[in-house]
Amino acid sequence: MDSKTPESDKDNLLIVNELKKITQKLNDIQSYLIENNRLNPQTKLLHGNLILISILLITGLGINFYLYKQQLKQSQKLEELNKLQGQILEQLNSSEQYEYQVVSPSDYIFEEEMNNYGIQGWKTAECRRATSGSYSVSASYECIMIRKR
């Protein structure tokens, strides 16, 4: 049994075990009485009734225990569904908004300018190096920046 079992479940199992012991004792008594020819009709009836009651109690507790476990599983599934529903609603309600800008930091001071954008909360979404012509020495970058509003 796991540690999550409530005390009432443990109590039910103890009762079932005790009823099984009582049923075994009744069977032992019946065997003794049969062997010694001391079993009269009233004793037979009483013994049979006691065994029947024991069996009914054991069966009833077993059914009760089974139904309780099923109810516990259903309540756990319902709790998981409620939690999942809450997460979905939270995601739907938290519509994050972003702002974008395109910047062109110089090739010479690229790192310094990008660090300044980072301090302001901007992140680089895309960046590419661009030159003004095929043989040009000067170059810059074209960067798409993004940050939450």
Side-chain angles (χ1 to χ4, degrees), residues 69-89:
K69 287 295 184 185
Q70 294 303 314
Q71 183 182 9
L72 185 63
K73 286 179 186 177
Q74 288 177 351
S75 66
Q76 287 172 341
K77 287 180 182 178
L78 183 61
E79 187 177 311
E80 289 173 11
L81 285 174
N82 286 337
K83 187 176 180 182
L84 184 60
Q85 181 184 17
Q87 290 172 347
I88 291 170
L89 287 174

mmCIF file of all heavy atoms in Angstrom, residues 69-89:
data_model
loop_
_atom_site.group_PDB
_atom_site.id
_atom_site.type_symbol
_atom_site.label_atom_id
_atom_site.label_comp_id
_atom_site.label_asym_id
_atom_site.label_seq_id
_atom_site.Cartn_x
_atom_site.Cartn_y
_atom_site.Cartn_z
ATOM 1 N N LYS A 69 -11.547 3.719 -4.464
ATOM 2 C CA LYS A 69 -10.373 3.875 -5.337
ATOM 3 C C LYS A 69 -10.787 4.439 -6.694
ATOM 4 O O LYS A 69 -10.094 5.285 -7.255
ATOM 5 C CB LYS A 69 -9.646 2.532 -5.527
ATOM 6 C CG LYS A 69 -8.883 2.087 -4.317
ATOM 7 C CD LYS A 69 -7.770 3.049 -4.030
ATOM 8 C CE LYS A 69 -6.927 2.578 -2.888
ATOM 9 N NZ LYS A 69 -5.908 3.541 -2.519
ATOM 10 N N GLN A 70 -11.929 3.993 -7.236
ATOM 11 C CA GLN A 70 -12.407 4.521 -8.510
ATOM 12 C C GLN A 70 -12.747 6.003 -8.392
ATOM 13 O O GLN A 70 -12.433 6.802 -9.270
ATOM 14 C CB GLN A 70 -13.643 3.727 -8.994
ATOM 15 C CG GLN A 70 -13.336 2.289 -9.350
ATOM 16 C CD GLN A 70 -12.267 2.160 -10.419
ATOM 17 O OE1 GLN A 70 -12.291 2.851 -11.419
ATOM 18 N NE2 GLN A 70 -11.314 1.276 -10.196
ATOM 19 N N GLN A 71 -13.396 6.364 -7.285
ATOM 20 C CA GLN A 71 -13.750 7.765 -7.062
ATOM 21 C C GLN A 71 -12.489 8.613 -6.923
ATOM 22 O O GLN A 71 -12.420 9.728 -7.448
ATOM 23 C CB GLN A 71 -14.613 7.890 -5.807
ATOM 24 C CG GLN A 71 -15.088 9.297 -5.535
ATOM 25 C CD GLN A 71 -15.908 9.383 -4.254
ATOM 26 O OE1 GLN A 71 -15.980 8.442 -3.484
ATOM 27 N NE2 GLN A 71 -16.513 10.530 -4.037
ATOM 28 N N LEU A 72 -11.483 8.095 -6.248
ATOM 29 C CA LEU A 72 -10.219 8.804 -6.079
ATOM 30 C C LEU A 72 -9.550 9.026 -7.436
ATOM 31 O O LEU A 72 -9.074 10.134 -7.726
ATOM 32 C CB LEU A 72 -9.293 8.025 -5.148
ATOM 33 C CG LEU A 72 -7.983 8.685 -4.773
ATOM 34 C CD1 LEU A 72 -8.238 9.972 -3.995
ATOM 35 C CD2 LEU A 72 -7.136 7.736 -3.944
ATOM 36 N N LYS A 73 -9.545 8.002 -8.302
ATOM 37 C CA LYS A 73 -8.963 8.149 -9.636
ATOM 38 C C LYS A 73 -9.711 9.208 -10.441
ATOM 39 O O LYS A 73 -9.099 10.033 -11.119
ATOM 40 C CB LYS A 73 -9.000 6.815 -10.387
ATOM 41 C CG LYS A 73 -8.000 5.795 -9.924
ATOM 42 C CD LYS A 73 -8.134 4.512 -10.706
ATOM 43 C CE LYS A 73 -7.224 3.427 -10.155
ATOM 44 N NZ LYS A 73 -7.399 2.155 -10.877
ATOM 45 N N GLN A 74 -11.043 9.192 -10.361
ATOM 46 C CA GLN A 74 -11.834 10.173 -11.108
ATOM 47 C C GLN A 74 -11.578 11.588 -10.600
ATOM 48 O O GLN A 74 -11.469 12.521 -11.384
ATOM 49 C CB GLN A 74 -13.326 9.836 -11.015
ATOM 50 C CG GLN A 74 -13.711 8.623 -11.827
ATOM 51 C CD GLN A 74 -15.179 8.260 -11.668
ATOM 52 O OE1 GLN A 74 -15.873 8.808 -10.824
ATOM 53 N NE2 GLN A 74 -15.645 7.319 -12.476
ATOM 54 N N SER A 75 -11.473 11.745 -9.288
ATOM 55 C CA SER A 75 -11.228 13.088 -8.758
ATOM 56 C C SER A 75 -9.831 13.576 -9.130
ATOM 57 O O SER A 75 -9.625 14.766 -9.386
ATOM 58 C CB SER A 75 -11.440 13.124 -7.239
ATOM 59 O OG SER A 75 -10.481 12.337 -6.576
ATOM 60 N N GLN A 76 -8.853 12.663 -9.203
ATOM 61 C CA GLN A 76 -7.509 13.051 -9.638
ATOM 62 C C GLN A 76 -7.519 13.470 -11.106
ATOM 63 O O GLN A 76 -6.879 14.453 -11.486
ATOM 64 C CB GLN A 76 -6.526 11.898 -9.428
ATOM 65 C CG GLN A 76 -6.172 11.665 -7.977
ATOM 66 C CD GLN A 76 -5.357 10.405 -7.769
ATOM 67 O OE1 GLN A 76 -5.322 9.515 -8.612
ATOM 68 N NE2 GLN A 76 -4.697 10.310 -6.620
ATOM 69 N N LYS A 77 -8.260 12.739 -11.950
ATOM 70 C CA LYS A 77 -8.354 13.104 -13.362
ATOM 71 C C LYS A 77 -9.056 14.449 -13.513
ATOM 72 O O LYS A 77 -8.647 15.281 -14.321
ATOM 73 C CB LYS A 77 -9.110 12.026 -14.140
ATOM 74 C CG LYS A 77 -8.311 10.762 -14.347
ATOM 75 C CD LYS A 77 -9.093 9.720 -15.110
ATOM 76 C CE LYS A 77 -8.293 8.442 -15.257
ATOM 77 N NZ LYS A 77 -9.060 7.403 -15.954
ATOM 78 N N LEU A 78 -10.102 14.679 -12.727
ATOM 79 C CA LEU A 78 -10.812 15.951 -12.786
ATOM 80 C C LEU A 78 -9.900 17.093 -12.354
ATOM 81 O O LEU A 78 -9.895 18.164 -12.966
ATOM 82 C CB LEU A 78 -12.063 15.898 -11.899
ATOM 83 C CG LEU A 78 -12.958 17.116 -11.903
ATOM 84 C CD1 LEU A 78 -13.500 17.379 -13.302
ATOM 85 C CD2 LEU A 78 -14.115 16.926 -10.931
ATOM 86 N N GLU A 79 -9.104 16.845 -11.330
ATOM 87 C CA GLU A 79 -8.146 17.864 -10.867
ATOM 88 C C GLU A 79 -7.124 18.187 -11.954
ATOM 89 O O GLU A 79 -6.794 19.354 -12.185
ATOM 90 C CB GLU A 79 -7.439 17.342 -9.610
ATOM 91 C CG GLU A 79 -6.550 18.348 -8.935
ATOM 92 C CD GLU A 79 -5.941 17.786 -7.659
ATOM 93 O OE1 GLU A 79 -6.692 17.229 -6.831
ATOM 94 O OE2 GLU A 79 -4.725 17.914 -7.508
ATOM 95 N N GLU A 80 -6.630 17.154 -12.659
ATOM 96 C CA GLU A 80 -5.676 17.368 -13.743
ATOM 97 C C GLU A 80 -6.320 18.168 -14.881
ATOM 98 O O GLU A 80 -5.695 19.065 -15.452
ATOM 99 C CB GLU A 80 -5.167 16.026 -14.273
ATOM 100 C CG GLU A 80 -4.238 15.303 -13.333
ATOM 101 C CD GLU A 80 -3.877 13.900 -13.803
ATOM 102 O OE1 GLU A 80 -4.178 13.554 -14.972
ATOM 103 O OE2 GLU A 80 -3.299 13.150 -13.008
ATOM 104 N N LEU A 81 -7.580 17.839 -15.210
ATOM 105 C CA LEU A 81 -8.280 18.572 -16.266
ATOM 106 C C LEU A 81 -8.492 20.035 -15.880
ATOM 107 O O LEU A 81 -8.325 20.937 -16.706
ATOM 108 C CB LEU A 81 -9.631 17.914 -16.569
ATOM 109 C CG LEU A 81 -9.581 16.617 -17.366
ATOM 110 C CD1 LEU A 81 -10.970 15.992 -17.462
ATOM 111 C CD2 LEU A 81 -9.010 16.847 -18.749
ATOM 112 N N ASN A 82 -8.852 20.285 -14.630
ATOM 113 C CA ASN A 82 -9.033 21.658 -14.165
ATOM 114 C C ASN A 82 -7.725 22.436 -14.233
ATOM 115 O O ASN A 82 -7.702 23.607 -14.610
ATOM 116 C CB ASN A 82 -9.599 21.685 -12.745
ATOM 117 C CG ASN A 82 -11.062 21.317 -12.698
ATOM 118 O OD1 ASN A 82 -11.778 21.440 -13.684
ATOM 119 N ND2 ASN A 82 -11.516 20.840 -11.558
ATOM 120 N N LYS A 83 -6.638 21.778 -13.869
ATOM 121 C CA LYS A 83 -5.328 22.422 -13.922
ATOM 122 C C LYS A 83 -4.950 22.753 -15.363
ATOM 123 O O LYS A 83 -4.480 23.857 -15.661
ATOM 124 C CB LYS A 83 -4.279 21.495 -13.301
ATOM 125 C CG LYS A 83 -2.919 22.102 -13.152
ATOM 126 C CD LYS A 83 -1.975 21.138 -12.449
ATOM 127 C CE LYS A 83 -0.604 21.714 -12.289
ATOM 128 N NZ LYS A 83 0.322 20.771 -11.643
ATOM 129 N N LEU A 84 -5.191 21.799 -16.269
ATOM 130 C CA LEU A 84 -4.901 22.022 -17.684
ATOM 131 C C LEU A 84 -5.768 23.150 -18.243
ATOM 132 O O LEU A 84 -5.287 24.004 -18.982
ATOM 133 C CB LEU A 84 -5.133 20.731 -18.467
ATOM 134 C CG LEU A 84 -4.799 20.750 -19.944
ATOM 135 C CD1 LEU A 84 -3.318 21.084 -20.163
ATOM 136 C CD2 LEU A 84 -5.125 19.410 -20.582
ATOM 137 N N GLN A 85 -7.035 23.181 -17.858
ATOM 138 C CA GLN A 85 -7.933 24.244 -18.304
ATOM 139 C C GLN A 85 -7.421 25.602 -17.815
ATOM 140 O O GLN A 85 -7.435 26.578 -18.554
ATOM 141 C CB GLN A 85 -9.346 23.992 -17.776
ATOM 142 C CG GLN A 85 -10.349 25.046 -18.207
ATOM 143 C CD GLN A 85 -11.723 24.811 -17.587
ATOM 144 O OE1 GLN A 85 -11.859 24.082 -16.621
ATOM 145 N NE2 GLN A 85 -12.722 25.440 -18.154
ATOM 146 N N GLY A 86 -6.960 25.651 -16.575
ATOM 147 C CA GLY A 86 -6.408 26.894 -16.031
ATOM 148 C C GLY A 86 -5.187 27.358 -16.800
ATOM 149 O O GLY A 86 -5.033 28.553 -17.078
ATOM 150 N N GLN A 87 -4.320 26.411 -17.171
ATOM 151 C CA GLN A 87 -3.131 26.767 -17.941
ATOM 152 C C GLN A 87 -3.502 27.305 -19.320
ATOM 153 O O GLN A 87 -2.917 28.282 -19.800
ATOM 154 C CB GLN A 87 -2.217 25.548 -18.080
ATOM 155 C CG GLN A 87 -1.552 25.127 -16.796
ATOM 156 C CD GLN A 87 -0.811 23.810 -16.926
ATOM 157 O OE1 GLN A 87 -0.973 23.079 -17.895
ATOM 158 N NE2 GLN A 87 0.001 23.485 -15.925
ATOM 159 N N ILE A 88 -4.481 26.670 -19.951
ATOM 160 C CA ILE A 88 -4.911 27.126 -21.277
ATOM 161 C C ILE A 88 -5.516 28.520 -21.193
ATOM 162 O O ILE A 88 -5.210 29.399 -22.000
ATOM 163 C CB ILE A 88 -5.907 26.116 -21.897
ATOM 164 C CG1 ILE A 88 -5.181 24.823 -22.256
ATOM 165 C CG2 ILE A 88 -6.586 26.704 -23.131
ATOM 166 C CD1 ILE A 88 -6.093 23.687 -22.653
ATOM 167 N N LEU A 89 -6.373 28.742 -20.189
ATOM 168 C CA LEU A 89 -6.972 30.072 -20.016
ATOM 169 C C LEU A 89 -5.916 31.130 -19.735
ATOM 170 O O LEU A 89 -5.994 32.250 -20.236
ATOM 171 C CB LEU A 89 -8.009 30.041 -18.889
ATOM 172 C CG LEU A 89 -9.319 29.326 -19.204
ATOM 173 C CD1 LEU A 89 -10.198 29.241 -17.959
ATOM 174 C CD2 LEU A 89 -10.062 30.017 -20.332
#
